[in-house]
Amino acid sequence: MQEVTHSYLDELNDIQRQAVVQTEGPIMVIAGPGSGKTRVLTYKIAHLINIGVPPWQILALTFTNKAAREMKERIEAVVGSSARRVWAGTFHSIFARILRVEAHRIGYPNDFTIYDTDDTKSLVNELIKSMDLDKKAYNAGVIRSRISASKSNLITPKAYSQNEDMLNYDRMNRRPMTYKIYEKYVARCKRSGAMDFDDLLLQMFRLLYENPDNVKEKYQRQFSHLLVDEFQDTNFLQYEILKQFVNYEDSPHNVCIVGDDAQSIYSFRGATIENILQFETDFPNLNTFKLEQNYRSSQHIVDAANGVIGYNRRQIDKKIWTDKIGDQKIKVIKTISDNEEGRRVADLIIEQKHRHNLSNSDIAILYRTNAQSRVFEEFLRRQNIQYRIYGGLSFYQRKEVKDLLAYMRMTVNPNDDEALKRVINYPKRGIGASTVNKLLAIADDNQVSLWQTIPHVQLSKRAMSNLAEFAALIATLRKHMAEGKNAYDLAVLISKRSGIVSALKTDNTMEGVGRLENLNALLDGVKDFVENDEVIEGENPLDKTLASYLQSIALITDMDNDKEEKETVSLMSTHACKGLEFKSVFVVGMEENLFPSYMSLSSPDQIEEERRLFYVAITRAEEYLTITYSNSRYQHGQMRFNDPSRFLEELPPETIDSVIPLKQKQGFGEPKILGNFKPTGLKRVKKLMIDPQNFHPDDSSKIKPGMRVLHLKFGEGNVLDIDERFVATIEFDQIAVNPKKRIMLQYAKLQILD
């Protein structure tokens, strides 16, 4: 193939350039952390356009809308406005776009509703109740996950009911009717004209598989080049859909996947590392390019990452390297308790800000579970360090926002059962649970939607009047929609006619004012949607309908909701940190049973995924990496004593400074202090003079005034008094300032000494 020279190619290193200019046949780009993956992907699309591939024939699939937007912006900077005509978006948004045109071919309305997590949970709960099943055994979240996993593996309700392994698993877990819930769930969604997020994939596969001549061939011919970002995060179903697009007679197999097997960390969402490991088997004429130069991290961090991931058996061979030398080795710090860990990290953040002139936004604290954030939040507040929890409650998950959106959904699709149940009595209009239950019963008996049952239900005169009032409201809103009102004008009308705005205005508290502001912000978003004049290839630029708006916001991911970065330290789980980078990173809670998680210890494959998760965490750091672990911590209300994580001993010794846990036969030995760095975290051990392993708290009801007791944190003391609320006053020997502590015996952990 003759190479075309363009100035943007000069910005790439040799291997990046080779990956970009190879435009034909199957291509796999293995992109290590900080290796310029996004640049290669965007420049590759720009290059395709520059050599004459029509942009609307390029399909680029990502995992967040934010990534798709940034991709288009970068392409546009190279090739101009034609970049807007590229089909770039998440799997779900692109497939929803196609299904809006083709869904009628598989028995769904083209204006189908998209059910979010709350909708699906509500529906599952309703089915569990209607089938009179035990809520403890049939946990709605577990059932939802079971249904989701089945769909992601192309297991239909019928196939599920005939799969003895799955049925036996359910019987063992006292959930033998799971298959029946799945069957009813699918029927209810179909009847409501609704798809959940998994359906956007499953129904897309059905559409292509069941319509090979008129639909599959149409899109195979339309998309001459297919690119997939973060391919290691794809699940079985996503890969099967990709094959439907590119595997056909005389196909050139112009498919390019970009990813890193060492960053495959989402198996709990259904992602499978097998997709990227087996890609060469499925496409034997594959061209593979390995981006191994890391532009982000210093030498010690890169060497540590290579050392750790080298312990994994199943991986694509590569060696990440960097030319950023850096003089900061990795600090590993041992603390006596999780509180001490929180205090030590907060102190070190202050120290780094002063010594290295870092700002808050340069720093991140990464933990294995979200529950670990509490102690770090507490000590950051004490030090007056501004912080934010990454991935808080999404704007679109707030109650008042969901309420107004439910009215909008009812206006577009009155057969949407979940939307109807949410707003039929909000604001309150005298339609109680008994009325809704009667509607549900009629709907189930006749296999129709709740909306269709309203004219046929027999109720008291007052209840009938209230129900008729609600039905008339929805009918009026639908009439205005039919008259052609745009999304914003209709949304304002809905907010007023529904009574939501009036209800919120009666609450003058700060929370009430905040809820009203959220509602106004939602309406502002609708207005922005209507006034946005961007033209997208294949879509009507005048489509500013409410249905189109609802689709656009239904596909927003949590990451897409993030506002502009503020001057704050970022706290997040290790799963949430992928794709981000910070000058200084603290990876905390590095203990067995926590990281790696206790749930992974019985499976070698799961241990390897936990190791990949640690690899992702440490490669977020550019210059400073601090790893902490604790002898003891509270978990689920209990004091737990964990060994240091096995991953710590996998760190190459030459990359570590300061406190180094040395491996002995029975576990890690005492920390060794090197250099001038003297962590105060080790001093607390002498003050306590308690061996946590020998501490055995007694029944608090046996504790009486005058007894000598031992407390894990405060040491030995005398019980002076116990009041009527069972609060003990104890004077501790080893506390010089304020030795008298008042402790609630109900929660106290005290060992009786005499």
Side-chain angles (χ1 to χ4, degrees):
M1 185 184 71
Q2 185 176 2
E3 183 175 317
V4 181
T5 302
H6 293 283
S7 59
Y8 57 86
L9 296 177
D10 297 335
E11 300 176 28
L12 305 170
N13 64 33
D14 288 343
I15 193 68
Q16 289 173 336
R17 183 187 178 99
Q18 292 175 38
V20 165
V21 300
Q22 176 67 45
T23 59
E24 298 174 0
I27 299 164
M28 178 165 67
V29 179
I30 300 298
S35 63
K37 168 183 72 71
T38 303
R39 172 173 288 190
V40 168
L41 189 62
T42 54
Y43 280 18
K44 187 172 189 66
I45 296 172
H47 189 66
L48 286 169
I49 295 171
N50 266 336
I51 64 173
V53 177
W56 56 87
Q57 290 187 1
I58 300 171
L59 173 59
L61 298 171
T62 67
F63 276 86
T64 68
N65 293 313
K66 180 180 178 183
R69 281 198 307 272
E70 290 177 350
M71 183 188 300
K72 280 192 173 184
E73 288 168 2
R74 293 191 185 199
I75 299 168
E76 188 170 353
V78 178
V79 300
S81 61
S82 61
R84 300 179 188 177
R85 306 175 77 185
V86 172
W87 280 60
T90 65
F91 284 87
H92 293 91
S93 64
I94 292 292
F95 297 163
R97 181 174 166 184
I98 294 173
L99 286 165
R100 287 291 178 204
V101 177
E102 314 284 359
H104 62 279
R105 299 180 186 275
I106 51 173
Y108 282 85
N110 287 353
D111 273 341
F112 59 85
T113 296
I114 299 175
Y115 276 1
D116 66 10
T117 302
D118 285 350
D119 295 322
T120 59
K121 185 176 181 180
S122 172
L123 177 52
V124 169
N125 269 321
E126 181 192 310
L127 293 172
I128 292 169
K129 183 179 179 181
S130 70
M131 295 170 68
D132 199 25
L133 299 173
D134 180 3
K135 284 188 176 181
K136 290 183 179 179
Y138 290 88
N139 176 276
V142 173
I143 300 297
R144 278 180 54 248
S145 296
R146 197 82 171 133
I147 292 172
S148 175
S150 298
K151 289 183 177 182
S152 296
N153 286 284
L154 285 176
I155 299 172
T156 63
K158 183 177 180 180
Y160 193 122
S161 68
Q162 297 173 349
N163 187 310
E164 278 303 314
D165 288 340
M166 299 183 77
L167 295 176
N168 284 332
Y169 178 87
D170 290 335
R171 291 186 197 110
M172 286 171 52
N173 289 279
R174 299 186 299 114
R175 297 191 297 267
M177 298 301 290
T178 300
Y179 78 96
K180 201 68 179 176
I181 299 174
Y182 183 17
E183 181 183 290
K184 288 178 175 288
Y185 176 88
V186 169
R188 281 289 297 274
C189 286
K190 186 77 175 290
R191 159 180 123 195
S192 296
M195 295 188 195
D196 62 22
F197 266 43
D198 296 305
D199 279 323
L200 294 176
L201 303 181
L202 179 61
Q203 303 307 331
M204 184 68 205
F205 177 83
R206 275 191 61 211
L207 176 68
L208 298 174
Y209 186 78
E210 296 176 7
N211 298 273
D213 298 328
N214 53 358
V215 178
K216 182 161 73 171
E217 185 177 348
K218 169 185 173 181
Y219 290 102
Q220 285 174 340
R221 300 302 176 190
Q222 174 170 341
F223 301 127
S224 62
H225 289 78
L226 194 155
L227 302 94
V228 185
D229 191 15
E230 303 286 6
F231 187 73
Q232 77 282 345
D233 295 337
T234 55
N235 62 27
F236 172 80
L237 181 52
Q238 287 165 326
Y239 191 21
E240 289 303 308
I241 295 171
L242 181 149
K243 291 176 185 176
Q244 291 288 315
F245 277 120
V246 300
N247 280 342
Y248 58 93
E249 190 176 353
D250 299 326
S251 169
H253 289 154
N254 292 335
V255 55
C256 174
I257 65 164
V258 181
D260 182 8
D261 59 297
Q263 297 185 64
S264 177
I265 60 173
Y266 295 127
S267 67
F268 67 96
R269 294 181 188 167
T272 171
I273 194 173
E274 299 298 332
N275 288 352
I276 195 167
L277 294 180
Q278 296 299 320
F279 193 74
E280 187 171 7
T281 303
D282 294 328
F283 295 91
N285 298 322
L286 184 68
N287 285 293
T288 300
F289 302 93
K290 297 178 182 178
L291 309 184
E292 297 174 302
Q293 182 175 1
N294 181 301
Y295 291 92
R296 175 189 302 153
S297 306
S298 64
Q299 185 70 56
H300 292 306
I301 294 170
V302 169
D303 288 347
N306 281 331
V308 168
I309 203 64
Y311 282 82
N312 272 9
R313 299 170 294 108
R314 302 174 69 237
Q315 60 177 302
I316 296 171
D317 183 50
K318 57 186 171 300
K319 183 75 172 178
I320 307 303
W321 62 277
T322 184
D323 56 13
K324 292 178 64 176
I325 303 302
D327 58 355
Q328 294 289 327
K329 289 190 174 184
I330 299 167
K331 290 179 169 53
V332 179
I333 298 175
K334 169 186 176 181
T335 61
I336 191 66
S337 67
D338 51 351
N339 268 343
E340 177 68 14
E341 184 181 37
R343 188 192 67 78
R344 189 74 191 97
V345 167
D347 288 346
L348 275 171
I349 288 175
I350 295 290
E351 179 182 327
Q352 287 187 352
K353 289 177 66 175
H354 291 159
R355 180 179 294 182
H356 304 301
N357 197 31
L358 299 184
S359 62
N360 286 339
S361 59
D362 291 327
I363 302 168
I365 301 173
L366 310 180
Y367 33 74
R368 179 62 181 82
T369 66
N370 286 315
Q372 291 170 254
S373 74
R374 180 196 59 80
V375 70
F376 299 102
E377 291 185 67
E378 180 179 330
F379 284 97
L380 291 175
R381 283 197 299 266
R382 290 183 188 180
Q383 295 278 21
N384 200 28
I385 300 172
Q386 297 295 313
Y387 69 90
R388 72 179 183 117
I389 303 292
Y390 197 95
L393 183 64
S394 157
F395 174 82
Y396 293 99
Q397 295 302 315
R398 294 169 187 169
K399 180 185 181 303
E400 59 276 8
V401 173
K402 289 183 74 69
D403 289 338
L404 182 51
L405 287 174
Y407 271 107
M408 294 182 191
R409 285 165 48 179
M410 280 293 294
T411 303
V412 172
N413 174 16
N415 293 314
D416 184 340
D417 284 358
E418 296 308 306
L420 183 145
K421 287 189 297 181
R422 185 176 188 95
V423 300
I424 193 170
N425 196 38
Y426 180 76
K428 290 189 181 300
R429 53 174 60 90
I431 302 176
S434 61
T435 298
V436 175
N437 288 336
K438 287 180 181 178
L439 294 175
L440 286 168
I442 296 173
D444 282 338
D445 289 343
N446 295 277
Q447 292 299 295
V448 295
S449 69
L450 293 175
W451 175 257
Q452 292 169 304
T453 68
I454 290 177
H456 308 290
V457 68
Q458 295 298 316
L459 301 167
S460 68
K461 187 175 180 180
R462 182 178 178 184
M464 290 290 288
S465 174
N466 293 336
L467 200 56
E469 181 184 336
F470 172 74
L473 167 64
I474 300 302
T476 300
L477 296 176
R478 286 180 56 75
K479 180 173 178 286
H480 284 288
M481 180 179 70
E483 290 171 353
K485 281 186 180 292
N486 65 39
Y488 176 69
D489 292 337
L490 191 54
V492 170
L493 182 71
I494 292 169
S495 69
K496 293 177 179 177
R497 292 284 184 91
S498 66
I500 292 180
V501 170
S502 298
L504 291 180
K505 281 183 176 178
T506 62
D507 185 356
N508 293 320
T509 65
M510 185 177 296
E511 291 79 9
V513 171
R515 284 191 282 269
L516 193 57
E517 287 175 349
N518 287 334
L519 218 57
N520 288 329
L522 176 63
L523 294 174
D524 288 342
V526 183
K527 189 174 183 63
D528 182 66
F529 168 81
V530 169
E531 294 182 350
N532 187 344
D533 59 358
E534 180 182 358
V535 177
I536 301 174
E537 182 68 16
E539 293 185 352
N540 183 353
L542 300 178
D543 184 11
K544 302 300 182 180
T545 63
L546 193 60
S548 183
Y549 167 75
L550 288 173
Q551 176 183 318
S552 72
I553 61 103
L555 298 166
I556 292 175
T557 66
D558 287 343
M559 190 174 293
D560 297 321
N561 290 328
D562 287 330
K563 296 282 193 292
E564 192 71 25
E565 294 285 335
K566 294 181 180 178
E567 183 49 36
T568 54
V569 173
S570 294
L571 277 67
M572 69 189 77
S573 72
T574 42
H575 279 102
C577 75
K578 193 157 77 72
L580 304 176
E581 56 187 44
F582 303 89
K583 286 186 179 178
S584 174
V585 168
F586 291 81
V587 184
V588 299
M590 288 303 301
E591 299 138 36
E592 288 291 298
N593 298 310
L594 187 56
F595 203 169
S597 164
Y598 72 93
M599 293 186 292
S600 70
L601 300 182
S602 61
S603 166
D605 286 345
Q606 287 299 308
I607 287 291
E608 291 208 349
E609 176 151 334
E610 292 285 303
R611 186 177 286 111
R612 293 194 293 270
L613 188 57
F614 183 46
Y615 175 86
V616 168
I618 62 182
T619 55
R620 300 309 96 195
E622 297 175 4
E623 299 178 48
Y624 311 101
L625 176 60
T626 307
I627 301 173
T628 67
Y629 68 99
S630 171
N631 277 354
S632 62
R633 71 176 60 247
Y634 276 99
Q635 290 176 278
H636 309 295
Q638 299 293 322
M639 179 68 76
R640 303 291 174 92
F641 305 98
N642 297 325
D643 292 327
S645 170
R646 68 189 68 192
F647 301 147
L648 292 180
E649 63 183 284
E650 296 171 359
L651 291 166
E654 63 273 14
T655 67
I656 303 172
D657 196 359
S658 305
V659 184
I660 306 179
L662 299 177
K663 178 70 175 171
Q664 306 295 338
K665 286 186 178 180
Q666 300 302 319
F668 283 93
E670 287 302 307
K672 177 182 178 183
I673 301 179
L674 299 182
N676 296 322
F677 185 83
K678 298 180 180 179
T680 58
L682 300 176
K683 297 178 182 177
R684 291 287 301 276
V685 181
K686 294 182 179 179
K687 288 183 180 179
L688 288 175
M689 298 175 61
I690 300 168
D691 182 356
Q693 302 292 344
N694 296 326
F695 180 76
H696 303 291
D698 289 302
D699 183 348
S700 60
S701 66
K702 297 179 180 179
I703 296 172
K704 309 295 180 186
M707 283 185 171
R708 290 280 293 173
V709 294
L710 178 67
H711 187 278
L712 184 62
K713 181 177 180 181
F714 302 129
E716 294 184 20
N718 295 314
V719 181
L720 303 181
D721 181 55
I722 300 176
D723 65 19
E724 67 278 2
R725 295 173 299 161
F726 298 100
V727 175
T729 301
I730 306 174
E731 185 171 12
F732 291 98
D733 304 344
Q734 297 165 310
I735 300 179
V737 181
N738 298 323
K740 292 182 182 180
K741 303 290 182 184
R742 287 172 56 78
I743 297 175
M744 294 186 68
L745 292 180
Q746 180 181 356
Y747 306 108
K749 299 290 189 295
L750 296 168
Q751 182 176 338
I752 299 173
L753 299 180
D754 56 33

